[in-house]
Structures are given as C-alpha cells and as structure tokens.
Amino acid sequence: MLLVGTETSDDAAVYQISEELAVIQTVDFFTPVADDPYLFGQIAAANALSDVYAMGGEPKLALNLAAFPNCLDIEILGEILRGGADKVMEAGAVLAGGHTISDEEPKYGLCVTGFVHPQKMWKNYGAEPGDVLILTKPLGSGILSTAVKGELAAEKEIQGAVKAMTTLNKYAAELARGFEVHSCTDVTGFGLAGHAMEMAKGSRITFVIHTEKIPVLSGAQEYAEMGLIPAGAYRNREYLEEDIESRICGWREDLLFDPQTSGGLLLAVTPEDAGKLMEKLSGLELPSAVIGEVTEKQKNFLVFI
Ligand code: CO
Ligand code: CO
C-alpha cells in the first residue's frame, strides 16, 4: 500500500510492505556543485540519501545514476563514483550498481531505497501549534556556490560549505529518532522558505521564523550583501512571496530563499522535547538551532521576524 505519494510533495515515496515495514524510495542527481570530483560525488550522494533520513528512515540500498562526456578523462568519473560510494558506506547502505550514460555535462546522484516503521515515519505535515522548529545545518550553500563561481570565496569559506554539504543528515536524524517528531523535511532547492512552506501548508498552521537565530555559513552574509544571489533564490521568492509575511529585509531575507544543496533537516518537535534534542544535537560538528515556532494558522503560512 502506498503511504506517501506525490500529493503532499514529500521527500520520498513510501510503500508499506507489512505492519512493521515500509520501504522509502527516492532519486536525486544534478550537475557538479564542486570542482573536485571526489567532493562532488560525496555531496550528490549525501543529498540523495538525505530524503530517506528526512522520512525518519534508514538507507539500505543505493544505485548510481551518472552522466559523463566522452571527451573527459574517465578517471574523473571514477573519482565522482568513489565519493558517492564512500558516503553510501558511511550511511550503512549497500551500493549495488547503477547506470552511466554519455552526456555533454557530467551529472551524478543516487536512487536510494530505505526502510522505516510505518508508524514511525516522519511526514512533511503534522506540525502542531506550540511545536518548536529546529534546523540542523547552517544556510547559505547556494550563495557560497555563486561566490565560488565568481572566484570570490575564500578557501576557508569554501571548506565550510563543503563540510556542511558532505555531512550526512544521518547523525541529526539518529538523535531525533529518540523524540516525538511531528513533522520533518530536508532543506534543499526551494530554500528554507520553500520547504518550511510545504510543511506549514500541509499542516494548515503558521511557522514563525526568528531569522536572527538561523545558523549561517561563513561568508554567506558578505556575498549576499554583494548581491551574489543565485537565480534559484529569485524564483523561490517569486513563487512563495504571497504566502509570507516578512518583517525583515536585506541579506537575511535573501538567505531564506537561497536554494540549498544537501541542506539540513527541519524538524517540528514538542517544546518539551526541543531542549533535550538541542542538547544532543549540540554534540554534532555542524550547528543546529531552534529557529522558530508553530502557531495556529495566521493570515500567512510563514512569518519572518
Ligand atoms: Co527532501
Ligand atoms: Co530530493
């Protein structure tokens, strides 16, 4: 029986096999977001695996999806696949083959199958008034990528962004599994605003986001203030704007629409659990933060303050 399909724009499809077992299925691939092929492989794999974690599940099986130009050195493809394989292994899943086609621009990603208990699945709706919102990675990877393309980003800033993008959401998800998670998604191409909007709309409530509490990648403020905003951020803003009440402006607002690659988890948990979960998350390498709360439905689904 299909538990999660396309209707709720959730992170992955979920199909129930038995009372105790449901399979999660997801696929994601894209063009290089890093110059180093090994790092690109890691980022693409971490991003694809993330949708399984965002459903509360564990990845079990992965297949490579790759596109590669004939004119490029085949060793580059080898490095991309090695990066992906390392992340799949770190996830505790099995990489069992895949498919590569010839194409003008390299592309890489994974098709991932995961397991979850049908009753313990995290949906992208179900947040309740009073819930606290936790984000488990800093924002700004789209802005940083734009700065890298403009050859403006400093080495340390690039490393910070790469660290965030290659880190599996596995670690935050494992800690959150001990608590009552009302709703969860991962923050990717639609930015924090877009993914928060899906959760808020699906739950028919309002998310109040305290924007100054959001962790930010080093350099993102500076480059956003310089106007290094990716095109996707403008599209996200245009698409979402009318459902948002924003009391802020400038770079902090741009950051909310910034498309993320392999971004963190956005979790809605009870206020009782939030403190305990934050205590655990503070032991991880990347900064997590309480970034807002859920209220009864107001005029708009999202409020930025
Ligand atoms: Co997702
Ligand atoms: Co996805």
Side-chain angles (χ1 to χ4, degrees), residues 134-153:
I134 293 176
L135 178 68
T136 68
K137 279 188 190 181
L139 291 186
S141 61
I143 292 163
L144 257 294
S145 297
T146 309
V148 170
K149 278 179 204 142
E151 293 180 358
L152 286 160

Side-chain angles (χ1 to χ4, degrees), residues 122-133 180-184 196 198-207 266-270 293-297:
W122 298 342
K123 298 174 301 283
N124 67 351
Y125 59 94
E128 295 170 20
D131 281 354
V132 169
L133 299 169
E180 196 185 323
V181 174
H182 285 161
S183 180
C184 176
E198 282 170 355
M199 280 171 78
K201 271 191 174 170
S203 309
R204 296 188 190 85
I205 40 72
T206 289
F207 282 7
L266 178 62
L267 298 142
V269 298
T270 65
E293 69 268 338
V294 181
T295 70
E296 299 282 351
K297 172 77 170 60

